[in-house]
Amino acid sequence: GEDVEQSLFLSVREGDSSVINCTYTDSSSTYLYWYKQEPGAGLQLLTYIFSNMDMKQDQRLTVLLNKKDKHLSLRIADTQTGDSAIYFCAEQNSGGYQKVTFGTGTKLQVIP
Amino acid sequence: GAVVSQHPSWVICKSGTSVKIECRSLDFQATTMFWYRQFPKQSLMLMATSNEGSKATYEQGVEKDKFLINHASLTLSTLTVTSAHPEDSSFYICSAAKSNQPQHFGDGTRLSIL
C-alpha cells in the first residue's frame, strides 16, 4: 500500500527558515498536502500542490515537489514561535475513492 | 473556502454508551466523506470512506458493526461508535471532497470514554 514518511522532529531558531521533508511511494498521487496541527486541535490545511506542479509559494510557505524522486518539502521562511506544531504531509491517490494517506508527522519546535 | 463542520468537538461518556458524531460540508456538496482516527502523538489513520447513498468502505481492521457510518445526503455523514469502551477513546476527524478535488477536514471530535 501507500507509504508516506517524514522525520519526527525538527528544531529551529526563531527567524530561521524551516524545511520539512516528506517522501512517498504512490506514483499515482494527484494532490499532495501539508497540514498543521497544534496541540489538542484539528488539522489546518496549510497548502497543497497538484502533482503536475514543481513548486508553489504562498507567503512564507514554499512547497517543492520532485515527482521523479517522490519527494515533497515545505519551507517556512522567517519561522515564528507560533509555527511550533506538528506538520503532516499527505498524498491523495487517483483511485476511485481518492484515498489520502498521511505521514507520521514532524514536530517543529521553534526556539525563541 | 470550503468549510467542513464537525459536531460535537468533545464528548465524554460512560463505557457502553453509543456516541454519534456528525460531519457536515457547509458550502459545497461532497460526493465522498472520509472518517479518520488519530491516537495521541500518532498520525491519522483512515477508517472508512463513504459515498452518498451507498454503504461505506471500511479499511482493513476497522469493525463496521462497531463504527456505523451513515451518509444520508451530499452534505451530511455520521459516525456512530456503538457500545463505546475506553479503548475507543481517540480523536476522530472527518473530511469531505467533491470528485477529484482536495479533501477538506473538520476540526475533529475528541471522544473520551470513562
Side-chain angles (χ1 to χ4, degrees):
Chain A
E2 302 84 5
D3 193 25
V4 180
E5 295 287 338
Q6 299 175 240
S7 51
L8 294 178
F9 181 78
L10 175 67
S11 181
V12 300
R13 293 198 179 277
E14 190 174 20
D16 288 349
S17 292
S18 308
V19 179
I20 303 172
N21 293 300
C22 172
T23 58
Y24 60 98
T25 57
D26 186 3
S27 57
S28 64
S29 297
T30 52
Y31 292 99
L32 294 119
Y33 303 86
W34 282 104
Y35 288 92
K36 178 183 180 182
Q37 186 177 38
E38 297 184 31
L43 291 176
Q44 175 192 353
L45 176 63
L46 287 178
T47 186
Y48 64 91
I49 189 169
F50 194 55
S51 59
N52 66 356
M53 297 170 64
D54 298 324
M55 187 185 87
K56 181 177 180 181
Q57 188 155 0
D58 183 3
Q59 299 181 332
R60 291 191 297 124
L61 306 179
T62 303
V63 178
L64 294 177
L65 174 61
N66 182 327
K67 197 171 181 180
K68 175 176 169 288
D69 294 338
K70 298 190 183 69
H71 182 266
L72 182 74
S73 68
L74 173 70
R75 180 176 180 270
I76 305 172
D78 188 25
T79 312
Q80 303 297 306
T81 53
D83 296 324
S84 294
I86 298 177
Y87 291 80
F88 290 97
C89 161
E91 65 90 17
Q92 178 172 329
N93 74 20
S94 59
Y97 286 124
Q98 306 162 67
K99 179 179 175 180
V100 172
T101 303
F102 282 81
T104 48
T106 299
K107 184 172 182 178
L108 175 64
Q109 178 189 65
V110 182
I111 304 166
Chain B
V3 178
V4 175
S5 172
Q6 205 170 323
H7 176 82
S9 300
W10 192 357
V11 56
I12 303 173
C13 293
K14 289 184 179 180
S15 186
T17 308
S18 291
V19 179
K20 182 186 280 188
I21 303 169
E22 287 189 352
C23 179
R24 293 181 185 272
S25 56
L26 296 185
D27 55 355
F28 69 102
Q29 293 189 319
T31 47
T32 310
M33 287 188 168
F34 304 81
W35 287 96
Y36 296 84
R37 183 174 181 176
Q38 185 182 31
F39 288 106
K41 299 184 180 179
Q42 293 189 27
S43 187
L44 278 74
M45 300 299 295
L46 179 66
M47 298 174 66
T49 303
S50 75
N51 290 293
E52 182 259 344
S54 60
K55 287 185 179 180
T57 301
Y58 289 81
E59 295 297 298
Q60 193 171 9
V62 178
E63 300 174 59
K64 55 182 160 185
D65 295 331
K66 173 77 172 176
F67 299 100
L68 301 178
I69 291 172
N70 183 279
H71 192 164
S73 75
L74 285 170
T75 58
L76 174 64
S77 177
T78 60
L79 167 69
T80 302
V81 183
T82 61
S83 186
H85 288 89
E87 59 267 26
D88 299 322
S89 298
S90 191
F91 196 53
Y92 293 87
I93 303 175
C94 76
S95 70
K98 283 184 176 179
S99 181
N100 296 321
Q101 295 293 312
Q103 294 183 23
H104 297 274
F105 285 78
D107 285 338
T109 297
R110 186 169 305 281
L111 176 62
S112 302
I113 306 297
L114 305 178

